[in-house]
C-alpha cells in the first residue's frame, strides 16, 4: 500500500500547473461565450436596423398606393423591388391579409393576422420575429411596420431576411476571435508553466538541502529565494543546521575527552545503565577480565563478568 501511495504522489509542479491551466481555459471559454453573445446581439440589432431602413424605403415607394385589396400592379412593384433590397417583401392589409409578395403568389398565401410581427404592427408598433418559414424552407428574421396615414393604419410592410445571411458577417469575426483566444491560451499556459516552475524551484532546492543536512553535511547552506516566505524558511533551516553542527561538535569533543580519560586510566572502569547492562568498558577492564568491549556491550554485567 505504501508503494502504491508513493506511486500516486506527484511533483508539486504538476499539481500547480494543471490548476493554472484549468483556470485559464475556463476563463477564456467564459469570455469567448460572453463575447459571442454580445457580438450576436449586436449583429441582430444591426440587422434589424437594416431591415427597418428597408421597410421605410419600401413605405416611401408603395405607401401612397391602397393596400386593402390585391392589385396586380402593386404585386409587380413589390416583386421588382425585391432584387434591389435582397430581402423578401410582403405587403399586407391592416387585418393581416397578404396583398403582395416579392417571392410568392399572394393568392396562394394564408392569412398572416396571427403572426407575431403582424400582430405588433397591427397595434401600431414595429414587430419582429424569427422562425422557420415553410414557404422558402429556411429560418427567417421578420420585421413589420405599419403604414400610417393621418394616424390611421392603411397597411403593413414586412421585410424578411434569412438568418444565415444575417449571421454570415459574424463568421470571420468568430474565426479571428477564436484564433486570438487560442494564442492567448498558449501564451498564458507557457507563462503559467514558468510561474509554477518558479514556485517549485525553491521548494526543490530546500528539499535537496534538507537531504544533505540529513546525510551529515551540516556545513551546506541554502541560498535565499526571491520570496519573503521562502527566504525566511531558508534562513531558519540554515540556522538549524548551524546549531545542530555546533551541538554535534560539542558532543563529539566531550566524548573524545571522556574516551581519552577512560583510555588513559590504569584502573579498570565499567559503565552500566540502570538495568546493569554494560555501556562502556575501558582498556584496563578489557585486560583485567580478558574480554572485549564490543562483546559485552548491552549485556548484563553479571552475565559477562563473573569475577
Amino acid at each position: 500500500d505504501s508503494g502504491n501511495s508513493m506511486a500516486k504522489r506527484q511533483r508539486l509542479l504538476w499539481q500547480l500547473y494543471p490548476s493554472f491551466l484549468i483556470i485559464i481555459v475556463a476563463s477564456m471559454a467564459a469570455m469567448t461565450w460572453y463575447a459571442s453573445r454580445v457580438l450576436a446581439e449586436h449583429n441582430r440589432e444591426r440587422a434589424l436596423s437594416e431591415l427597418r431602413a428597408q421597410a421605410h424605403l419600401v413605405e416611401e415607394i408603395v405607401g401612397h398606393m391602397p393596400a386593402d385589396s390585391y392589385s396586380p400592379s402593386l404585386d409587380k412593384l413589390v416583386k421588382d423591388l425585391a432584387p434591389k433590397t435582397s430581402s423578401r417583401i410582403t405587403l399586407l392589409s391592416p387585418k393581416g391579409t397578404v396583398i403582395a409578395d416579392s417571392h410568392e403568389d399572394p393568392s396562394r398565401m394564408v392569412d398572416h393576422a396571427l403572426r407575431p410581427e403582424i400582430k405588433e404592427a397591427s397595434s401600431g408598433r414595429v414587430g419582429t420575429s424569427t422562425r422557420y418559414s415553410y414557404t422558402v424552407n429556411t429560418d427567417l428574421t421578420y420585421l413589420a411596420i405599419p403604414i400610417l396615414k393621418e394616424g390611421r393604419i392603411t397597411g403593413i410592410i414586412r421585410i424578411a431576411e434569412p438568418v444565415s445571411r444575417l449571421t454570415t458577417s459574424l463568421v470571420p469575426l468568430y474565426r479571428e476571435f477564436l484564433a486570438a483566444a487560442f494564442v492567448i491560451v498558449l501564451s498564458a499556459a507557457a507563462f503559467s508553466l514558468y510561474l509554477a516552475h518558479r514556485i517549485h524551484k525553491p521548494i526543490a532546492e530546500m528539499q535537496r538541502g534538507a537531504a544533505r543536512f540529513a546525510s551529515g553535511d551540516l556545513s551546506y547552506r541554502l541560498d535565499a529565494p526571491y520570496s519573503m516566505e521562502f527566504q525566511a524558511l531558508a534562513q531558519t533551516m540554515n540556522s538549524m543546521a548551524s546549531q545542530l553542527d555546533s551541538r554535534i561538535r560539542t558532543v563529539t569533543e566531550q566524548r573524545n575527552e571522556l574516551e581519552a580519560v577512560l583510555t588513559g586510566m590504569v584502573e579498570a572502569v565499567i559503565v552500566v545503565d540502570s538495568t546493569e547492562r554494560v555501556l562502556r568498558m575501558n582498556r584496563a577492564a578489557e585486560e583485567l577480565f580478558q574480554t572485549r568491549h564490543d562483546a559485552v556491550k548491552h549485556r548484563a554485567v553479571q552475565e559477562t563478568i563473573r569475577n
Side-chain angles (χ1 to χ4, degrees):
D1 294 339
S2 61
N4 292 335
S5 62
M6 289 293 292
K8 293 179 181 178
R9 294 177 183 173
Q10 296 179 342
R11 296 176 61 188
L12 180 62
L13 174 63
W14 300 117
Q15 293 178 1
L16 292 174
Y17 181 60
S19 301
F20 291 161
L21 202 58
I22 290 173
I23 294 174
I24 292 169
V25 172
S27 300
M28 286 304 302
M31 187 174 69
T32 301
W33 174 81
Y34 177 75
S36 64
R37 291 288 300 274
V38 171
L39 285 175
E41 184 63 25
H42 175 74
N43 185 71
R44 182 177 180 275
E45 293 296 330
R46 181 186 59 82
L48 291 177
S49 178
E50 292 179 357
L51 292 179
R52 189 179 294 110
Q54 292 181 23
H56 286 298
L57 179 62
V58 173
E59 181 184 11
E60 291 292 332
I61 298 174
V62 303
H64 64 282
M65 303 180 68
D68 54 353
S69 61
Y70 172 73
S71 169
S73 59
L74 187 60
D75 186 59
K76 182 178 183 303
L77 178 60
V78 170
K79 285 180 169 57
D80 292 339
L81 285 175
K84 300 177 181 179
T85 60
S86 70
S87 302
R88 182 181 178 185
I89 304 172
T90 305
L91 183 62
L92 305 96
S93 69
K95 296 181 179 181
T97 304
V98 178
I99 303 302
D101 189 85
S102 61
H103 289 66
E104 293 292 331
D105 182 0
S107 62
R108 299 173 56 186
M109 299 177 66
V110 298
D111 188 83
H112 284 40
L114 298 180
R115 304 294 168 86
E117 69 280 3
I118 302 303
K119 292 174 66 175
E120 287 289 322
S122 298
S123 302
R125 297 184 295 270
V126 176
T128 60
S129 177
T130 300
R131 63 179 180 275
Y132 184 81
S133 172
Y134 293 96
T135 304
V136 295
N137 296 320
T138 187
D139 289 324
L140 295 177
T141 296
Y142 299 94
L143 183 139
I145 63 171
I147 301 176
L148 300 174
K149 284 186 178 179
E150 299 178 355
R152 185 173 60 90
I153 299 176
T154 60
I156 297 172
I157 296 174
R158 188 183 70 175
I159 306 293
E161 188 84 6
V163 174
S164 57
R165 189 183 301 171
L166 297 177
T167 57
T168 300
S169 60
L170 288 179
V171 174
L173 292 176
Y174 284 147
R175 290 176 179 173
E176 292 181 8
F177 192 81
L178 288 176
F182 181 72
V183 173
I184 292 173
V185 168
L186 286 182
S187 302
F191 180 74
S192 297
L193 181 61
Y194 166 74
L195 186 61
H197 181 70
R198 285 197 64 185
I199 296 175
H200 172 264
K201 183 178 179 181
I203 297 177
E205 291 178 353
M206 290 183 185
Q207 180 184 9
R208 288 191 293 268
R212 293 187 65 170
F213 293 157
S215 65
D217 186 7
L218 298 176
S219 61
Y220 178 76
R221 292 294 178 267
L222 292 168
D223 294 331
Y226 61 90
S227 67
M228 294 178 59
E229 291 80 5
F230 286 141
Q231 185 177 19
L233 181 58
Q235 292 174 351
T236 301
M237 292 181 67
N238 287 337
S239 176
M240 178 192 68
S242 178
Q243 294 178 14
L244 186 59
D245 184 46
S246 176
R247 291 176 183 176
I248 290 177
R249 289 178 183 275
T250 301
V251 171
T252 302
E253 291 175 359
Q254 292 175 351
R255 186 193 63 183
N256 292 338
E257 291 175 358
L258 180 60
E259 184 73 20
V261 171
L262 291 176
T263 303
M265 291 178 66
V266 295
E267 294 83 4
V269 178
I270 300 174
V271 181
V272 297
D273 61 11
S274 59
T275 60
E276 296 186 355
R277 293 184 180 275
V278 178
L279 295 178
R280 187 73 179 87
M281 177 183 289
N282 68 350
R283 188 176 301 172
E286 290 177 342
E287 294 176 355
L288 177 63
F289 298 108
Q290 297 297 308
T291 185
R292 291 182 301 103
H293 169 260
D294 294 338
V296 300
K297 188 175 182 181
H298 300 310
R299 295 172 62 185
V301 67
Q302 294 87 354
E303 176 189 353
T304 57
I305 302 172
R306 297 183 179 276
N307 190 325

